[in-house]
Amino acid sequence: MSDLIQLLPDNIANQIAAGEVIQRPASVVKELLENSIDAGASRIEVNIKDSGKTLIQVVDNGKGMSAADALLCFERHATSKVRKAEDLFALATKGFRGEALASIAAIAHVQMNTRLEEGELGRTIEIEGSVVKTNEEAAVPQGTSFEIKNLFFNVPARRNFLKSDKVEFGHISDEFQRVVLAHPGIQFSLHHNGNELYHLPATTLRKRIVDVLGKKASDRLVPIEESTDIVALKGFVLKPEFARKTRGEQFLFVNDRFFKSSYFNHAISKAFEGLIPERSFPGYFLYMDVDPSKIDVNVHPTKTEIKFEEEKFIYSILLSSVRQALGKYNIAPTLDFEQETSFEIPHSMRSQPAVEPQISVNPEYNPFSSTSRTSSSGTGKTKENFSHAIKQQGFGSQEAKHEDWENFYEIKEEKAQEVTPVFEEAEILPNFGSFLVKDSYILAPGKSGFLVIHARRAIERIVYNEIINSFISNPIESQQLLFPIEKELSKQEGIHWTENASVLKQLGFSGEVNDEVLAVNAVPSVLEEETLSKSIDRILETLGHKDVEKGEVAHELVRSIARSAAMKRLELSNKEQIQSLIDRLFQCEDHAYSPSNKKVMETLDLALIDKKFE
Ligand code: ADP
Ligand code: MG
């Protein structure tokens, strides 16, 4: 028998490694920008053609490289930034793996010019697919410039996988924004196909944000500043009225590095609770300084997720500082600050579960009568609008009715700040008992008709809300499986699973990826045996969905769990179980619609029934 194992040649190893670091043109832009910053540049120019498919050029006036370094920088694990293991725990630079340039050079045509300040002549180097074509002295400006052409020329699968120019440029622009917002003291410019899209002189943080977002942003910013032993926090949130329907203006930085965190995002969103419409996203630009030994940037190859040793403490600082700032600027004069601005609280909050939303139920309200009015303040308007809409459209025929709900929903979206999300607190007549029709609908008798509830969607809503409200502080109860469930995976799916392992764990899933097989050994207890396999499929699908990249993994996952939970056999065999389901449903803020935005309930009012007997 002969020996079979061989070391991969460097160029192949680099090409494989490149897949991790360089996913698209935007990754090149990010890596080059970070290198320029690490090199102490005060001016960085970016020039893109055809969304990076034709050219990515980054020019800096940083410290440059010696002749030897100029060649060495393209070697894998070649870095000037880490000398000893301890350095890894106190990183002050963006890069440290020494992988980026080796990766880029493995999959593109690269030209680099570089010159040290003291040196008279610099170097010019050309590399194509890890092969050095030119390496000579050259009269070049001080600093370093990179030109990247023919990206992925030798990885056709990657090249074909690239999205439209618009999408790819969108990614470049995102990366550019993340970098420039973290470094207002550096001058940047960005050109695309000859057009100057950004020209950003060195300035203050506030001015930089305004330069990036446009002048309109200037009077929208509310400053945040807070300093504790563990974290120094500064930055801005956008006033609540500028919250948007999509994420986008949400930026978190730690030690001048952009990162994503659904956990911290939750804290900030919570601070805005009650001030912005539901399903809208507050804008923020928040910068934390944390002792580098207390964070781990090493968890993700592209480094947008970061582990914090003191994340619970930081969570509560974020929540209280943002609340306080919103209050100080008289944006939230009615909020009660007594409790959460005290910095004594954070430590005790470590074990404290998230506070459940309080829903007031008005027993006087009759949803079936258009003349009834609620006595509780604030909700009256909703119902007036609602019954008004119903009257106008002639509530009666099935179709008109459907439209009415849609119209009502639009009213709600537009006026969400004045209008509370609850549209009715059904006065169901409990003595008569509600019952289940054909395993699908609950029919609840009311004073002037029936409330018809789609049972599975109701469950979906209940499970979704219960999990969303609590999983951050209380990981979802998980059940160990005696026999792990195995799933074959694509490499991509395996990566997705591993990347999201911590969120998945919080949600009750744990599993191991090995050799393109996923073995799931724990699942949320809410799921039932028969639906497990399907749920895992759905989770995998969710993880591969592109929106997930934008930090919505948790929401998507919870939605999937809720959907799976609703597929279970209905346990609604007696009056009590049905009543309890109705009660729990009405505890949910959004009880009229399921998490996937499908209608949960309908009224079958007397007028309609009367009509049938005409
Ligand atoms: P890392 O940034 O992780 O060290 P890179 O592959 O991105 O790895 O870069 C390798 C090395 O090349 C860096 O450590 C640095 O010494 C050098 N280098 C890269 N870009 C520049 C630049 N623009 N100016 C000066 N030196 C650079
Ligand atoms: Mg680097």
Side-chain angles (χ1 to χ4, degrees):
M1 273 288 275
S2 57
D3 297 336
L4 298 175
I5 297 177
Q6 291 191 336
L7 286 176
L8 287 174
D10 269 359
N11 61 334
I12 308 249
N14 284 339
Q15 208 171 310
I16 293 169
E20 302 260 305
V21 188
I22 307 298
Q23 279 136 11
R24 46 174 22 116
S27 338
V28 176
V29 174
K30 170 176 188 269
E31 293 296 337
L32 295 181
L33 281 173
E34 292 190 345
N35 280 346
S36 296
I37 292 165
D38 285 345
S42 63
R43 197 189 64 235
I44 304 173
E45 289 162 18
V46 182
N47 186 7
I48 306 289
K49 290 218 171 92
D50 304 320
S51 300
K53 293 170 185 169
T54 306
L55 173 73
I56 298 168
Q57 184 185 43
V58 174
V59 183
D60 72 46
N61 65 351
K63 64 178 185 240
M65 281 178 264
S66 70
D69 283 356
L71 198 58
L72 204 58
C73 73
F74 293 105
E75 294 285 323
R76 201 139 58 98
H77 306 308
T79 178
S80 55
K81 301 167 194 173
V82 175
R83 304 262 160 202
K84 46 191 191 313
E86 297 90 86
D87 291 349
L88 275 178
F89 303 104
L91 287 167
T93 54
K94 312 264 165 208
F96 57 89
R97 294 159 176 265
E99 275 177 346
L101 292 183
S103 299
I104 295 168
I107 50 163
H109 293 183
V110 178
Q111 182 185 6
M112 182 187 78
N113 297 333
T114 188
R115 178 161 76 77
L116 294 169
E117 198 168 14
E118 62 272 25
E120 290 195 344
L121 278 176
R123 302 296 294 184
T124 184
I125 290 183
E126 282 175 30
I127 290 198
E128 298 179 358
S130 301
V131 179
V132 179
K133 300 279 172 168
T134 314
N135 173 15
E136 52 199 32
E137 273 193 330
V140 292
Q142 193 250 306
T144 306
S145 77
F146 279 91
E147 273 191 14
I148 315 298
K149 293 180 177 161
N150 292 323
L151 185 64
F152 299 129
F153 76 98
N154 51 358
V155 199
R158 270 290 158 145
R159 205 175 164 88
N160 297 336
F161 177 78
L162 291 180
K163 300 271 163 50
S164 68
D165 275 13
K166 187 165 163 255
V167 170
E168 292 302 338
F169 191 75
H171 287 290
I172 291 178
S173 166
D174 283 351
E175 293 294 356
F176 181 81
Q177 287 194 356
R178 292 166 183 179
V179 169
V180 303
L181 287 169
H183 296 278
I186 299 177
Q187 174 181 327
F188 291 93
S189 66
L190 173 63
H191 285 77
H192 189 210
N193 294 336
N195 302 315
E196 183 172 74
L197 301 183
Y198 291 95
H199 175 77
L200 306 168
T203 180
T204 59
L205 179 55
R206 185 186 189 108
K207 184 77 178 18
R208 174 58 54 92
I209 295 172
V210 171
D211 285 347
V212 171
L213 291 191
K215 278 208 197 68
K216 60 176 194 313
S218 179
D219 46 5
R220 297 184 178 181
L221 300 173
V222 180
I224 309 278
E225 189 141 19
E226 191 62 70
S227 192
T228 71
D229 286 351
I230 287 167
V231 58
L233 178 69
K234 68 174 194 296
F236 300 88
V237 292
L238 289 183
K239 290 179 181 169
E241 59 265 40
F242 301 107
R244 301 204 314 189
K245 284 265 152 61
T246 55
R247 282 170 205 279
E249 289 158 348
Q250 300 193 329
F251 294 89
L252 280 176
F253 301 90
V254 60
N255 302 347
D256 297 335
R257 185 195 292 275
F258 173 85
F259 73 105
K260 291 182 187 171
S261 163
S262 51
Y263 182 62
F264 291 158
N265 176 60
H266 186 270
I268 301 158
S269 303
K270 212 167 166 54
F272 274 86
E273 221 168 64
L275 301 174
I276 59 174
E278 259 187 80
R279 289 197 213 92
S280 63
F281 302 94
Y284 53 80
F285 304 82
L286 293 173
Y287 298 74
M288 308 175 193
D289 275 318
V290 175
D291 177 348
S293 68
K294 297 255 154 61
I295 60 174
D296 181 3
V297 295
N298 221 343
V299 288
H300 192 280
T302 52
K303 293 168 279 179
T304 51
E305 278 145 38
I306 291 181
K307 268 199 214 139
F308 288 76
E309 217 171 275
E310 308 269 6
E311 64 173 4
K312 293 206 170 131
F313 181 85
I314 297 174
Y315 180 99
S316 50
I317 296 293
L318 275 170
L319 174 60
S320 55
S321 318
V322 174
R323 276 217 176 148
Q324 201 171 35
L326 290 173
K328 220 192 265 167
Y329 279 73
N330 276 334
I331 288 158
T334 55
L335 278 182
D336 174 14
F337 293 104
E338 293 306 318
Q339 281 198 338
E340 271 155 305
T341 47
S342 151
F343 290 117
E344 258 66 76
I345 285 178
H347 279 280
S348 62
M349 271 182 74
R350 286 162 190 241
S351 53
Q352 185 184 311
V355 185
E356 299 261 331
Q358 296 292 308
I359 312 279
S360 64
V361 175
N362 170 17
E364 304 302 331
Y365 182 65
N366 181 346
F368 306 112
S369 149
S370 55
T371 53
S372 83
R373 290 285 179 269
T374 168
S375 54
S376 70
S377 62
T379 50
K381 190 148 196 158
T382 316
K383 279 147 199 162
E384 270 173 36
N385 281 341
F386 181 39
S387 43
H388 181 67
I390 289 170
K391 275 195 193 136
Q392 283 223 318
Q393 306 277 329
F395 191 58
S397 84
Q398 282 288 10
E399 267 124 309
K401 203 158 109 185
H402 183 75
E403 251 177 57
D404 288 334
W405 289 99
E406 306 253 314
N407 286 341
F408 169 64
Y409 239 65
E410 263 171 47
I411 296 170
K412 186 189 144 191
E413 295 277 302
E414 272 168 32
K415 303 202 173 171
Q417 252 172 320
E418 311 158 35
V419 178
T420 62
V422 180
F423 71 88
E424 59 192 277
E425 290 94 21
E427 197 200 58
I428 293 159
L429 303 170
N431 291 341
F432 293 89
S434 307
F435 49 94
L436 189 66
V437 184
K438 265 208 125 185
D439 226 12
S440 357
Y441 295 103
I442 292 169
L443 210 56
K447 270 189 189 150
S448 49
F450 291 93
L451 187 68
V452 186
I453 299 174
H454 192 292
R456 287 178 201 276
R457 289 182 192 164
I459 293 173
E460 211 176 316
R461 168 52 73 196
I462 293 167
V463 173
Y464 177 86
N465 282 35
E466 286 176 354
I467 297 179
I468 279 288
N469 285 329
S470 67
F471 89 92
I472 300 279
S473 49
N474 301 327
I476 290 175
E477 200 191 318
S478 178
Q479 103 194 56
Q480 290 288 324
L481 298 176
L482 223 46
F483 303 102
I485 299 181
E486 298 208 331
K487 292 269 168 197
E488 284 195 0
L489 295 177
S490 70
K491 196 157 174 247
Q492 202 57 31
E493 287 173 322
I495 293 171
H496 287 147
W497 182 278
T498 316
E499 278 174 352
N500 292 292
S502 59
V503 182
L504 287 163
K505 186 125 198 255
Q506 202 79 2
L507 292 164
F509 285 98
S510 83
E512 251 149 47
V513 181
N514 232 325
D515 244 280
E516 311 201 352
V517 173
L518 167 69
V520 179
N521 44 40
V523 295
S525 318
V526 287
L527 297 184
E528 254 181 10
E529 190 114 41
E530 310 92 86
T531 61
L532 278 181
S533 172
K534 205 154 189 187
S535 309
I536 296 166
D537 289 342
R538 204 171 271 151
I539 297 285
L540 287 168
E541 194 189 312
T542 303
L543 291 172
H545 193 268
K546 68 175 193 298
D547 285 349
V548 171
E549 275 178 41
K550 302 219 154 83
E552 296 185 321
V553 189
H555 276 272
E556 279 292 328
L557 289 181
V558 174
R559 211 173 294 160
S560 309
I561 294 174
R563 224 182 301 147
S564 307
M567 276 165 37
K568 296 203 301 199
R569 210 161 39 79
L570 295 178
E571 274 180 22
L572 295 171
S573 50
N574 61 39
K575 233 164 67 176
E576 285 71 30
Q577 285 171 332
I578 295 176
Q579 190 54 43
S580 138
L581 181 115
I582 296 174
D583 292 344
R584 282 162 74 201
L585 177 64
F586 279 96
Q587 299 269 311
C588 300
E589 277 176 357
D590 272 340
H591 54 247
Y593 282 78
S594 76
S596 355
N597 245 334
K598 297 226 173 86
K599 198 188 289 176
V600 170
M601 58 182 73
E602 257 294 2
T603 51
L604 212 63
D605 67 331
L606 264 184
L608 184 75
I609 298 171
D610 282 345
K611 240 185 141 149
K612 301 255 176 220
F613 289 95
E614 260 171 31

